[in-house]
Structures are given as structure tokens and as C-alpha cells.
Amino acid sequence: MRFRLGRSLKDLLGERTAKALDKIGLRTEEDILRHYPRRYGDRGRLSDLRSLAVGEHVTVIAQVARTSARRMQNRPGAILTSIITDGTNELTLTFFGKNLGTVKYHEGRLRPGESGMFTGTVSDYRGTRQLTHPDYRTFRDVDDEAAAMESMDWPIPIYPASAEMPSWKVADAVQTVLRPLRLEDVPEPLPAQYRREHGLPGALEAFRSIHLPHSEGEWRRAQDRMRHEEAFVLQTALARRRAAALAEPATARPPRAGGIREAFEARLPFTLTAGQREVGDVVAEELARPVPMQRLLQGEVGSGKTVVALRAMLQVVDAGGQAALLAPTEVLAHQHHRSITGLLGPLAEGGMLGGAEEGTRVVLLTGSMGAAARRKVLAAAASGEAGIVVGTHALLGDVVQLADLGLVVVDEQHRFGVEQRDALRAKARVSPHLLVMTATPIPRTVAMTSFGDLETSTLRELPAGRAGVTTSVVPAGNERWVRRMWERIREEVDGGGRAYVVCPRIDAADDAALVADGDPDDVPADLLDAAAPAGPPLASVEEVTDLLRAVPALAGVAVGQMHGRLSGEEKDAAMRAFATGETPVLVSTTVIEVGVDVPDATVMVVLDADRFGLSQLHQLRGRIGRGDRPGVCMAVTAAAPGSPAFARVGAFATTADGFRLAELDLEMRREGDVLGAAQSGRGTSLRLLRVTKDAEIIDAARAAARAVVAADPELAEHTDLAEVLARHVDEETAAYLERA
Ligand code: ADP
Ligand code: MG
């Protein structure tokens, strides 16, 4: 297929400019056209200079107040300073030169009263904020007088920029690419009727309006169109995925009376919640159809998703098939294996002496297994002797063969991508049924965006008899509270409980990027060009372990460690020692976040809690209070009371509903953190669409996209849409779905 807008910037703009643009990830015509302005400036309205923080790369619109040049006093050379103002606050521009002659050049351009755009990194010199050697362009610099006159009141696009490529140079490059384009050069993925219905401009017009608007209304309309386009293209991709999956025949796996599933239900030590029964019925019915089930099961932390999945797996075993359960970590794979064999009891000893007659076998496959054990497991899977195969991504390997794979269950999906699902599905001769479980409750718009090809079931209810968790916020600076916190751990341990202490890093040298990006709220985001610098050092597993070993209240208490750099065996050993109480305190990173189930765990301390997302905190907290004893969660933060970061931790402490927290997360955090870090940046097809704000657009696009795909599955009548999909979905959306 011929892709339009694919020409390289090198051919269009020349080697030098292309090289600078390449550094900010822009390589093709399309790349630069979709490099939308971050905001729009206004000649008449100056940027608020008060909010600029030291260390940030900023672009501001301001007016020159005064400029002066002088020789340096203590060393050779000259300095020119220019004070720019927003009318109230000032910022100093500083230029150094060999002699007065070299800096005087700026004096001619930075005349008092002149206004323009200035860009550079904010630094502090003796209490004065300044930009050293900023790049700038005064509005008088605009080459063509006539053009300047004409564009007088037009909004000024301000692009995400780098020191090498200031906003106005990006703007020039965009215009060079955009100007010669004709209508037929730009694909139009939105159906004409959809555009009419929503009053949206065409693709080329939208590009023009977004990069060179004549009014605010114009760029707003263009942005709106691009949001619709992003939603529509993504939803079409998802609708096609879904249609393709449903078009594959599947083996019907109807329930069987007197089978292992019934035997299992008879020996369940608890009664299922209403939600578990309801979802179970839907799943049972779908498994019985010759069409592959495509279902997402999301639920509150601890709502009992595993039992729902296990019943489904047993139904498939009853029907003569096998089920594979894919877990995101070795710890979880081990745990699933243990809990499934535990729940099944003699039913998991099929074919063995003393095993139940209707039993099956449950095997575990992980990457760190020895060769001999591995061979046995592979043989049991290939022969069909093992009805249930639990594993990590090791299950995806080529050597793994299953006799008759009927159901794939993916636990905690956010760690697995579409491709991995597909790899496992490919192990079946006919399309297996698919049940995806999410680790955290997800808001509707996110579900529609990230899992739009799946039908969704939700478990909101927790099993009765849960004692619950009380959460409090502990200010890191309050020594008395912190001491009390360690005493609290001591008390729980003495009472037979276990304590998690969660840290954002493994050791002091570790990158803080381990956790989701910090709080963006105290940064003037609209003036920001680059990421904010890191804050104070964060707690690490290594350091905190040492610290706890020295805390008087914890004298004689064994402290274990858990983090991603341990081998599979070490992790398993650490979890076991924790579960048995050998090391009743476990200092850990978020590896314990997903699904780990130690019923005796009653306390959790989360250090630097403000560095975690709300959903992540909720998921962490879900690790305690799982038994009949109430849990205590203490969220420690160094954030200042009253700051947005502190408020966020407070919201976590006072909100027990995971769905509500997930929504708050959406409202409070940057989009990128919600859908995975890379999603907010370049290289994805979602640039303007916000799952936080654009629910209406997503709804509309989804309905329209499904209708288009239903009527024209091959998109024969929608060639431009097909072109855009082929191009983006392959490279980008797949990668994006992968990360989400
Ligand atoms: P999650 O949905 O977070 O994955 P799990 O499936 O791990 O939750 O279940 C959490 C715990 O609750 C497990 O120990 C499980 O055995 C138990 N459980 C599940 N369903 C019920 C129920 N209906 N009544 C009591 N306990 C249950
Ligand atoms: Mg789970």
C-alpha cells in the first residue's frame, strides 16, 4: 500500500534541520505535522513569569524592560543582561562574550519595549532567576513585514522544543512542510458523514489550523477534529481486532454434569459472592459457544477473580481441553500454582495414587526452572495429562506445546501485551477462549481505549468477612509518628502478623524512574519544555532494610527483602519465608503489588507514598487485610501538607473504593501515567485524546467505528482509513497497546 505523508524530512528540509528534528523524534512529514503546538501564545498577553522554576526549560512570551552591557570586573570578557517582564514579574537574560563588541549584537535586538519569545533553562544566580544564553526571537524579527502585519493578532503556536530547536524554528519547519500540501496529499480517515455529524474540518484544513491558526476558535476546532480522528482510528483498529477474533471458529466447551468443576464447587470452603456467580454464569455460557470468548474481567482488589477463572478452567478441562494461566511474575505464577492446587486438593492429583477420579493435573512452568523439571512439565502439557498449565512468559516459548488448549487466562493484564496474548493463542489449533483479568479497577474510558476489543465484566463486591484496611498518612518529618509506626509493626509481628515495607527503589544508585513519574502539579506545565528534575532521594530497599535492622522497636525481628533483581528462586524463597513468618517483615519494591496473597499480612508501610499512583497504592494496600484480621496501612510522605502531592496521599487514605481511586488517578495525574509512560510522548497515535476528558468522543468514535467495521470489514469503501490504519496500527498502536 502507498502511504502518504511518508517523505523524509531530510529530503524536504535539508540535512541540518532534519538532524536537529530527528533528535526530538521527528523524521517524516507525518511526524512533524503531528508534532502539535503545546500551547498558543498571544502577542498581547505575556507569559506569567512568576511561576517559572529553576531547572526547567521554558518558552515564554515577554517584553524587554531594559538592556545593558559592560566589561566583566574580575576577569576578561563582557556581559550583557536584559531584563524581560510580564508587566509584574521579571526574568534576567544573560549573555557572555569575549568583549563588548560580541555582546552588543544583542543590544540592538533587545531594545526596551520590544517583545518576543525567549527560551532557555531557568537558573538561579544570587536569588535572581535567569536564562543564560537564551535563544529568542523578537516579534520584529519576523522577516517579512507584510507577514508580520498580517499575523499580528494570530495565536502564536508554541511547540515542545529543545535548546537546539527552539519553538520558532520548529514552526518554520512545519510551515515549509505544510505549505505545498494539497488535499489529495493528506489521507482523510474520518468518514464524511461522521465529520458532518460532529462539525469537524477536513484533515488538511485541520493541519493548517492547528499549526497556523488565525484565531483561538480555529485551533480549538482543529484539535477537536484530531481528537476524534485519534479515537476513531484506534476504535476501528480495536473493532477489527475483535471482528477477526470472533471470525475464528472455537471449540465449544459446555459444562459437564458430574465433572471436576462440580466436584471443585462442592469442596469450596466459602460461598461465592453474587458477583462471582453472575460473572461465572456469563463465562460458562460463552465457553459453551463455538465462538472464542473475548472477555475482560476487572474487579476490586481481593474481589476473588482467581476463583472465577478457575471455575472457567475446570469447565474446559471437563470438556476435554486444557487451560493456560499466564501470570506476570514468577512470584504470582508460584502463588497461583500453590493456591490452585490447594483449592483443588485431591482433584489436582489426577492419575496419581489417591487422586480423585475426576481429577486433573496442575503444572507450573517458569523461566528459572531446572532442565529436568522443565522437561517433565513440558511433557505433561504436550500429552494433555496436565489440564491446567500455570506459568510466566516462559509459557510463550516455542518449545511449549499443548495437546488441546481451550482457554487462555491472562492475569493482571497490564503486564502483558496483545502480542503475548496472541503468542499463547497461537499454540492452539483452533482459537482458544480468552479471559483477561486486570490487576486494578479501571475507569470505563480506559477500558474502552486499552481493552476495546474485549467485552467487560466487573466484580465490585468483596467476599464477606473481610476485616478491611485502615489507612493513615504519616508525614516523613514527624519523628514521633515514624517511631510509632515501627512500634506498630512490632506489635503486629508479636501478634503473629506480617508487615510489608514498600520502597520506590531497590538501592541508592537505582534510578527513581522505577516508580511512575512524580507529581506534575506544582510545575507550571504549560510553560514547561522538558521533564521536571528529580526531587529528593527516595527510600530504597537496601537502605531501609539496614535502617529497620537498627530500629530499637524491631530488635530481634528478622527482615527480608524482595525486589525485581532477585532470581526466581530467591523471590520464591523470600515470599515463603515471609508467609511462614520466618522473616515477618518484608522490605520490598512494588513487585508485591500484583496479586500476592499472604493472609497473615496485616501491616503495610509505603515509603514515599506520593511517588506512586493512586491505583498502584490501592493495589499495594490490597495485599493486607486479606484474612480475618484488620489491616493497617501507613502511607509515608515527605510532601508538604497542602501540596497537591500530599492531597493525593490523603485521598488514598480516605478512599477505599478502587474504582473511585482509579478515576481520581485519571483526574489528578498526567495522562501518560495512566496509559503507560510512553503513551504521552511521541511515537504513539494518541496525542491529543484524553481518556480523562474525552469520554464523549471515545463513545461516539467507538459506536461509529464498530458500525463501519460491521458494514465493511475489509474497509474496501474506506481506503483512506485503511491506509492510516495499516500505517499507524502496525507501528504504533500495537506498541501502545503493548505498554498499556
Ligand atoms: P483478586 O481478585 O484480587 O485477584 P483473589 O482471587 O486473589 O483476589 O482472592 C482473594 C482471596 O479471597 C483469596 O484468598 C481467595 O481464596 C479468597 N476468596 C475468593 N472468593 C471468596 C469468597 N467468595 N468468599 C471468601 N473468600 C474468597
Ligand atoms: Mg489476583
Side-chain angles (χ1 to χ4, degrees):
M1 185 180 280
R2 188 179 69 94
F3 291 137
R4 284 170 282 178
L5 298 181
R7 283 179 296 177
S8 86
L9 294 178
K10 207 165 77 187
D11 296 343
L12 296 167
L13 300 169
E15 195 95 40
R16 251 187 60 205
T17 309
K19 221 167 157 182
L21 289 168
D22 189 281
K23 286 198 182 135
I24 46 175
L26 309 178
R27 275 156 215 121
T28 67
E29 241 172 325
E30 162 128 41
D31 288 345
I32 197 165
L33 291 177
R34 297 211 181 272
H35 186 63
Y36 304 134
R38 160 164 286 143
R39 65 196 160 96
Y40 294 87
D42 179 339
R43 259 155 257 264
R45 208 175 329 135
L46 306 178
S47 311
D48 181 359
L49 298 179
R50 190 185 37 198
S51 53
L52 301 181
V54 171
E56 284 157 13
H57 191 270
V58 298
T59 303
V60 299
I61 295 177
Q63 191 172 43
V64 177
R66 53 197 179 274
T67 299
S68 62
R70 58 179 167 80
R71 262 189 207 84
M72 304 272 269
Q73 273 155 3
N74 304 324
R75 48 191 156 123
I79 179 171
L80 177 137
T81 52
S82 180
I83 313 293
I84 58 170
T85 174
D86 62 10
T88 312
N89 306 282
E90 298 186 334
L91 183 67
T92 304
L93 313 180
T94 311
F95 300 86
F96 298 98
K98 272 205 188 70
N99 51 50
L100 273 180
T102 45
V103 295
K104 282 274 186 190
Y105 156 77
H106 297 286
E107 204 164 35
R109 290 178 68 200
L110 296 171
R111 272 185 282 198
E114 202 78 73
S115 56
M117 294 166 79
F118 304 86
T119 189
T121 303
V122 182
S123 60
D124 178 279
Y125 180 70
R126 297 189 179 160
T128 305
R129 282 169 316 158
Q130 61 173 24
L131 303 179
T132 307
H133 287 277
D135 216 326
Y136 62 94
R137 177 180 279 192
T138 61
F139 294 140
R140 224 180 24 138
D141 287 343
V142 178
D143 298 332
D144 187 329
E145 280 295 327
M149 289 302 290
E150 192 187 0
S151 62
M152 217 43 190
D153 314 316
W154 297 357
I156 308 164
I158 298 177
Y159 291 89
S162 65
E164 206 175 331
M165 207 60 197
S167 178
W168 50 88
K169 285 194 186 149
V170 177
D172 289 349
V174 171
Q175 290 307 321
T176 307
V177 172
L178 188 53
R179 226 172 281 124
L181 288 181
R182 291 154 309 163
L183 209 54
E184 62 272 25
D185 295 328
V186 182
E188 174 53 88
L190 288 178
Q193 196 197 330
Y194 185 90
R195 270 192 288 138
R196 265 196 307 278
E197 266 167 37
H198 297 274
L200 306 173
L204 179 58
E205 188 189 335
F207 276 133
R208 290 199 175 127
S209 307
I210 214 163
H211 291 294
L212 193 61
H214 298 187
S215 67
E216 178 175 338
E218 225 175 80
W219 64 254
R220 286 200 184 280
R221 221 163 79 88
Q223 281 193 344
D224 194 44
R225 183 228 136 83
M226 294 307 184
R227 281 190 199 100
H228 275 280
E229 177 178 326
E230 288 171 6
F232 186 81
V233 169
L234 178 62
Q235 291 299 333
T236 309
L238 291 166
R240 292 188 83 199
R241 241 194 105 71
R242 183 178 153 69
L246 293 178
E248 299 269 329
T251 308
R253 313 279 182 178
R256 181 162 64 83
I260 184 170
R261 175 170 158 172
E262 284 188 357
F264 163 73
E265 282 158 7
R267 52 167 290 158
L268 252 185
F270 44 73
T271 45
L272 296 174
T273 64
Q276 282 172 319
R277 259 197 317 267
E278 245 163 65
V279 176
D281 289 347
V282 171
V283 170
E285 201 254 314
E286 284 185 340
L287 290 174
R289 283 190 282 174
V291 176
M293 173 172 79
Q294 300 283 308
R295 188 157 287 278
L296 171 73
L297 173 56
Q298 60 161 332
E300 181 58 274
V301 178
S303 57
K305 294 184 284 287
T306 316
V307 175
V308 173
L310 184 52
R311 290 176 73 213
M313 292 193 270
L314 295 176
Q315 176 172 335
V316 169
V317 172
D318 275 336
Q322 290 169 293
L325 170 57
L326 195 55
T329 62
E330 295 223 345
V331 171
L332 263 187
H334 276 276
Q335 180 189 293
H336 274 311
H337 182 250
R338 257 198 310 273
S339 70
I340 289 175
T341 38
L343 283 166
L344 287 175
L347 294 171
E349 292 161 12
M352 282 190 268
L353 207 61
E357 197 186 318
E358 63 277 34
T360 185
R361 276 189 60 200
V362 183
V363 294
L364 172 70
L365 187 77
T366 66
S368 63
M369 266 165 94
R374 197 179 162 77
R375 259 197 306 278
K376 270 166 87 181
V377 169
L378 289 176
S383 69
E385 190 191 327
I388 297 178
V389 184
V390 180
T392 55
H393 58 275
L395 274 185
L396 306 175
D398 289 338
V399 295
V400 181
Q401 306 217 338
L402 290 125
D404 183 11
L405 180 59
L407 169 67
V408 172
V409 179
V410 182
D411 192 17
E412 324 294 13
Q413 152 85 16
H414 67 302
R415 305 295 169 95
F416 283 110
V418 165
E419 282 165 23
Q420 285 157 315
R421 273 199 235 155
D422 287 348
L424 194 51
R425 267 208 294 234
K427 294 192 180 298
R429 268 184 299 277
V430 284
S431 220
H433 299 280
L434 174 69
L435 181 65
V436 175
M437 307 194 283
T438 61
T440 47
I442 45 181
R444 196 180 60 93
T445 49
V446 178
M448 279 196 300
T449 312
S450 304
F451 306 102
D453 57 335
L454 306 176
E455 299 300 310
T456 306
S457 297
T458 305
L459 288 178
R460 284 179 185 274
E461 187 185 356
L462 294 184
R466 289 281 166 77
V469 179
T470 319
T471 305
S472 48
V473 181
V474 177
N478 190 322
E479 276 175 41
R480 201 167 54 85
W481 285 34
V482 171
R483 213 177 319 119
R484 178 73 196 112
M485 182 167 83
W486 303 135
E487 285 165 13
R488 197 74 189 75
I489 290 189
R490 179 67 197 225
E491 289 160 20
E492 290 295 322
V493 168
D494 286 346
R498 314 264 186 282
Y500 292 107
V501 179
V502 181
C503 308
R505 302 193 297 172
I506 299 176
D507 59 38
D510 203 17
D511 199 340
L514 239 181
V515 291
D517 195 29
D519 199 278
D521 301 319
D522 40 17
V523 179
D526 62 332
L527 297 183
L528 206 62
D529 284 345
L538 301 173
S540 73
V541 171
E542 295 291 348
E543 290 163 301
V544 171
T545 308
D546 289 343
L547 173 88
L548 292 189
R549 287 178 178 149
V551 166
L554 294 174
V557 175
V559 179
Q561 283 189 350
M562 179 72 170
H563 55 75
R565 272 191 229 138
L566 298 179
S567 72
E569 273 161 51
E570 287 169 322
K571 280 186 212 155
D572 203 38
M575 273 329 285
R576 243 195 329 262
F578 181 61
T580 59
E582 199 183 310
T583 54
V585 175
L586 189 65
V587 184
S588 174
T589 58
T590 53
V591 283
I592 53 137
E593 165 194 348
V594 279
V596 168
D597 194 14
V598 176
D600 288 326
T602 48
V603 204
M604 173 172 289
V605 168
V606 184
L607 296 169
D608 293 310
D610 50 292
R611 301 304 300 253
F612 299 94
L614 289 176
S615 292
Q616 200 178 14
L617 286 170
H618 184 62
Q619 183 68 24
L620 283 166
R621 170 169 65 184
R623 303 305 110 220
I624 57 170
R626 293 173 83 85
D628 44 13
R629 281 190 302 185
V632 177
C633 178
M634 291 171 279
V636 183
T637 175
S643 69
F646 193 88
R648 214 149 56 85
V649 180
F652 161 65
T654 51
T655 313
D657 177 351
F659 284 92
R660 180 68 200 124
L661 282 172
E663 275 162 16
L664 279 177
D665 232 353
L666 272 189
E667 287 162 24
M668 290 179 167
R669 294 170 66 84
R670 273 192 206 167
E671 197 78 4
D673 300 337
V674 177
L675 291 177
Q679 198 267 315
S680 62
R682 292 171 298 272
T684 78
S685 51
L686 299 193
R687 288 175 173 81
L688 294 170
L689 190 71
R690 293 291 171 259
V691 287
T692 31
K693 301 193 189 99
D694 298 326
E696 267 172 54
I697 293 180
I698 295 172
D699 277 330
R702 180 177 168 93
R706 287 192 161 192
V708 163
V709 171
D712 179 14
E714 297 306 317
L715 301 179
E717 306 286 310
H718 297 84
T719 48
D720 280 21
L721 176 58
E723 176 185 335
V724 168
L725 274 176
R727 196 182 144 90
H728 288 283
V729 171
D730 285 4
E731 322 162 357
E732 299 181 334
T733 311
Y736 147 67
L737 288 170
E738 179 72 17
R739 287 185 293 267

